[in-house]
Amino acid sequence: MKLKTLEEILKKKSSKTEFAILTNLENGNSEIYMPGTSPEGEFSKYTNEIEKFFKSKKNGVIENSEIFVETYIKPIKVIIVGAVHIAQYLVDFAKSLNFEISIIDPRGYFASEQRFPDIKVINKWPKEAFEEIETNSNTALIALTHDPKIDDPALQFALKNKFYYIGALGSKKTHENRCQRLSEAGFTNDEINSIHGPIGIKLGGKSAPEIALSIIAQLVSETYKK
Amino acid sequence: MKNSFDEKILDEAQDWIKANQKVVLATVIQTWGSSPRQVGSRMIVNEKGDFSGSVSGGCVESAVVSECLSLIKDKKPCKKIEFKVSNESAWEVGLACGGEIAVYIEQIH
């Protein structure tokens, strides 16, 4: 690989642009491919196969060839409501996984940049904050404030927009009350039951990093069920 | 999980190059059976034999390092290496897990 190619790859990675690295395993030539474009020269006849790798989110060698394709696809968007202590550990764990985190918290003293360097923190109420974030069925929501006036509007938004993972922090009792409120707001039992509450897989831990670990473990597991 | 934009191995490769080291990039390009690291997993090796990242669960890293060192010594651009299930000899390099992997090594120049 040419140093120039490596530098270009790093640039694409830091701007989180989708791309693929194409390598000819026979002669060592490599090239960067942008989805939707036509590769040049020796890679030109493999456009369809390369696009297939993008669609299946996989890496591999194109059949009956010596061309290796490595795709970089957009990270999964994870929205955290509540810039609390647990969120700080979630940010740490998410760094080495393919998750891109945004945090919503209307409480300015929580949502400070100093507590969350390098993370998009939106210091607004969920309803206004969601206007700033593009979301779809590939988005996950983690509600951590256990304050109904902050969490509930976010949970309702996530249910309506069919996020693939919705989790809410709080005791069993807190969650029962939450389900009751969502039911009164017109959500079906199926929708309400799709919320992971109390959030996280059972690890037994009670500290902030332990709870964050149990949440991120559940999120990874649900991501693979997609 | 799919390749993370935050994975740091290529950034590290660039740092090593900036420090005037010769760097070989090793990438898992194919796997068969129960291989520990998925296709696209990476490791870098410099001319001193220092390495970072991984292509298996520790089974074949030492062999990949020596292959990378020969690549630098012989001034070759790239090579494909296949590792199969290890046999009874403890000294033989192979995958104790029973899988097979193909690793592609290339110099960054």
Side-chain angles (χ1 to χ4, degrees), chain A residues 1-3 7 10 13 17 23-25 28 57 59 66 68 70-73 75 95 97-98 224, chain B residues 1-7 10-11 14 17 27-29 39-40 42 78 80 104 106-109:
Chain A
M1 181 187 285
K2 290 202 171 71
L3 181 56
E7 285 164 353
L10 294 176
K13 275 181 62 168
T17 318
T23 307
N24 183 328
L25 302 172
K57 302 178 182 177
N59 306 317
E66 286 294 315
F68 177 63
E70 191 187 356
T71 56
Y72 281 79
I73 53 154
K95 264 185 192 150
L97 302 162
N98 202 24
Y224 277 108
Chain B
M1 189 134 304
K2 188 63 192 114
N3 296 347
S4 164
F5 282 101
D6 284 318
E7 216 168 62
L10 292 176
D11 298 77
Q14 194 186 34
I17 291 167
T27 308
V28 176
I29 53 165
V39 172
R42 287 217 156 105
C78 59
K80 198 166 124 181
Y104 177 73
E106 59 186 318
Q107 289 212 53
I108 301 175
H109 54 89

Side-chain angles (χ1 to χ4, degrees), chain A residues 55-66:
Chain A
K55 277 202 193 102
S56 60
K57 302 178 182 177
K58 280 188 174 142
N59 306 317
V61 178
I62 296 173
E63 223 173 293
N64 302 319
S65 83
E66 286 294 315

Side-chain angles (χ1 to χ4, degrees), chain B residues 3-106:
Chain B
N3 296 347
S4 164
F5 282 101
D6 284 318
E7 216 168 62
K8 294 284 180 248
I9 194 79
L10 292 176
D11 298 77
E12 210 175 340
Q14 194 186 34
D15 291 343
W16 287 14
I17 291 167
K18 278 185 186 155
N20 285 323
Q21 300 172 25
K22 288 194 168 72
V23 177
V24 179
L25 183 64
T27 308
V28 176
I29 53 165
Q30 275 168 313
T31 64
W32 299 268
S34 56
S35 52
R37 294 294 320 271
Q38 60 186 354
V39 172
S41 303
R42 287 217 156 105
M43 152 174 162
I44 51 171
V45 181
N46 69 11
E47 74 271 26
K48 289 181 289 188
D50 301 324
F51 71 96
S52 184
S54 67
V55 292
S56 74
C59 318
V60 301
E61 271 75 3
S62 68
V64 170
V65 169
S66 59
E67 288 280 359
C68 291
L69 291 175
S70 325
L71 201 76
I72 295 173
K73 206 171 118 233
D74 303 340
K75 295 196 168 77
K76 279 192 187 149
C78 59
K79 189 182 175 184
K80 198 166 124 181
I81 321 156
E82 284 185 19
F83 294 98
K84 307 213 161 158
V85 187
S86 58
N87 62 17
E88 309 230 315
S89 155
W91 302 107
E92 183 130 345
V93 171
L95 292 161
C97 44
E100 291 182 30
I101 61 171
V103 177
Y104 177 73
I105 59 175
E106 59 186 318

